[in-house]
Amino acid sequence: MNEHTLSAVGTTSDAHADYPLGSSDLEHRRLMLQARILRPSTDRFLRLGGLRPGMSVLDLGSGMGDVSMLAAEIVGPRGRVLGIDRDPVTTDKARRRAWHEGLDTNVEFEVTELDDFDTAERFDAVVGRYVLPYQKDHAATLRRFARFLRPGGILAFHEFDFLVQNPTWPPCPLWDDSYQRLTKVYEATGTPPDFGRRLYRTFLDAGLPGPTVECQGPVGTGSDSPLFPWLAYSLRVLEPALAKAGLSLPEGLVADDTLPDQLEKAVLEQNSQILATLQYGAWTRVP
Ligand SMILES: C[S@@+](CC[C@H](N)C(=O)[O-])C[C@H]1O[C@@H](n2cnc3c(N)ncnc32)[C@H](O)[C@@H]1O
């Protein structure tokens, strides 16, 4: 069994009804793999946003804890991070990972719906990655969490944009068609697949100062790209949402443990270069 095998698909806790990615062992592994791909962008966005040693940080939708742990590295031992997420299984795993990394003295996690979270504490920064698009009212969520900031506090978010058409060249139709399934299933579940490009307007709609926005586009080349297992895991965890939307995998792909290898083979046959999901960072300070 190598890192790319997909045998651990079993669901470990009930998914929230309108959250397409669910909560399974495979989704937890997918989040950790994705975090490795996204870390350089998130690190850059948080630092440009103004995160500094000694700050207190609230991380929305903390998942497996990767953004909370990254923020904890930036704010250091004099700072502190609180990650919040509604999924108790994921949050328990995040706690254990932080303990393993020796970060448990300044990182805590709380299980809560974003809408139910409350505290008298005021933070230096509220951050989040891949969480705003899943909220029913994006601007209202931002507005609500800006209230937990001290004056001059920072809001910094990292979000995706999947709407890159034909991301391979030379064209690899199997990859492009598979990638477009992500767009289609997100549209079908009411989650904007292009949320990154909506960040500036969402901040304004929340009554916040217009954020600085930056975009990066990771590129995959050659064998062993983490994009192969990333797309395969994503398609697998989205299988129930795909089925509900009446969608299936592109013809020629089999949804089994070899899916990363099937995608890799098709891309390598063309020696294609892959443009991955666009990564947007947006940050601002409240008055
Ligand atoms: C795509 S994951 C991203 C996790 C993490 N931020 C990262 O980048 O690795 C989104 C996370 O947000 C959580 N989430 C989404 N909507 C939420 C809500 N309304 N309340 C609490 N947690 C939520 C999910 O449970 C999931 O763990």
Side-chain angles (χ1 to χ4, degrees), residues 134-158:
Y134 302 106
Q135 309 315 311
K136 285 199 177 62
D137 186 335
H138 312 117
T141 302
L142 270 183
R143 197 179 306 120
R144 174 172 151 65
F145 279 94
R147 293 208 306 264
F148 296 107
L149 285 170
R150 63 157 177 79
I154 297 159
L155 282 160
F157 284 83
H158 175 168

Side-chain angles (χ1 to χ4, degrees), residues 19 21 30-31 60-63 66-67 85-87 90 112-114 129-131 134-135:
Y19 181 62
L21 296 163
R30 192 192 71 85
L31 281 175
L60 312 186
S62 42
D66 292 278
V67 174
D85 199 292
R86 66 174 162 224
D87 186 323
T90 316
T112 176
E113 273 290 330
L114 295 187
R129 182 173 73 193
Y130 286 21
V131 64
Y134 302 106
Q135 309 315 311

Side-chain angles (χ1 to χ4, degrees), residues 50-283:
L51 249 66
R52 298 284 179 270
M55 284 186 164
S56 59
V57 181
L58 177 63
D59 174 25
L60 312 186
S62 42
M64 292 291 285
D66 292 278
V67 174
S68 297
M69 290 190 283
L70 173 56
E73 284 175 35
I74 297 172
V75 301
R78 287 185 297 110
R80 89 169 200 96
V81 181
L82 174 62
I84 60 174
D85 199 292
R86 66 174 162 224
D87 186 323
V89 177
T90 316
T91 304
D92 190 48
K93 290 184 179 179
R95 273 193 200 105
R96 279 187 270 150
R97 291 181 76 210
W99 182 82
H100 269 289
E101 296 296 321
L103 290 168
D104 52 321
T105 51
N106 64 342
V107 184
E108 286 174 283
F109 295 98
E110 182 179 323
V111 177
T112 176
E113 273 290 330
L114 295 187
D115 285 348
D116 297 337
F117 176 75
D118 201 9
T119 177
E121 183 172 355
R122 292 297 172 261
F123 295 85
D124 297 311
V126 171
V127 306
R129 182 173 73 193
Y130 286 21
V131 64
L132 287 177
Y134 302 106
Q135 309 315 311
K136 285 199 177 62
D137 186 335
H138 312 117
T141 302
L142 270 183
R143 197 179 306 120
R144 174 172 151 65
F145 279 94
R147 293 208 306 264
F148 296 107
L149 285 170
R150 63 157 177 79
I154 297 159
L155 282 160
F157 284 83
H158 175 168
E159 298 298 356
F160 51 69
D161 184 345
F162 297 137
L163 277 191
V164 180
Q165 299 297 311
N166 308 320
T168 55
W169 203 94
C172 175
L174 200 65
W175 179 276
D176 292 350
D177 291 352
S178 302
Y179 190 74
Q180 281 168 18
R181 294 301 192 274
L182 300 184
T183 306
K184 290 192 175 125
V185 78
Y186 269 57
E187 279 167 347
T189 57
T191 305
D194 58 351
F195 187 77
R197 70 180 69 180
R198 303 175 187 219
L199 276 161
Y200 182 75
R201 179 58 192 268
T202 304
F203 274 62
L204 294 187
D205 288 348
L208 294 164
T212 302
V213 182
E214 189 178 285
C215 180
Q216 301 193 331
V219 172
T221 52
S223 57
D224 291 333
S225 167
L227 296 178
F228 301 126
W230 173 79
L231 182 55
Y233 289 16
S234 299
L235 291 168
R236 290 300 301 274
V237 298
L238 288 166
E239 268 184 274
L242 282 162
K244 209 168 151 191
L247 298 162
S248 54
L249 290 187
E251 215 177 303
L253 278 186
V254 184
D256 65 15
D257 287 0
T258 66
L259 192 51
D261 301 327
Q262 297 170 52
L263 290 166
E264 179 168 350
K265 182 167 174 283
V267 169
L268 293 187
E269 270 169 12
Q270 317 278 345
N271 279 324
S272 301
Q273 174 177 312
I274 307 166
L275 175 58
T277 304
L278 296 181
Q279 311 298 327
Y280 279 88
W283 54 88

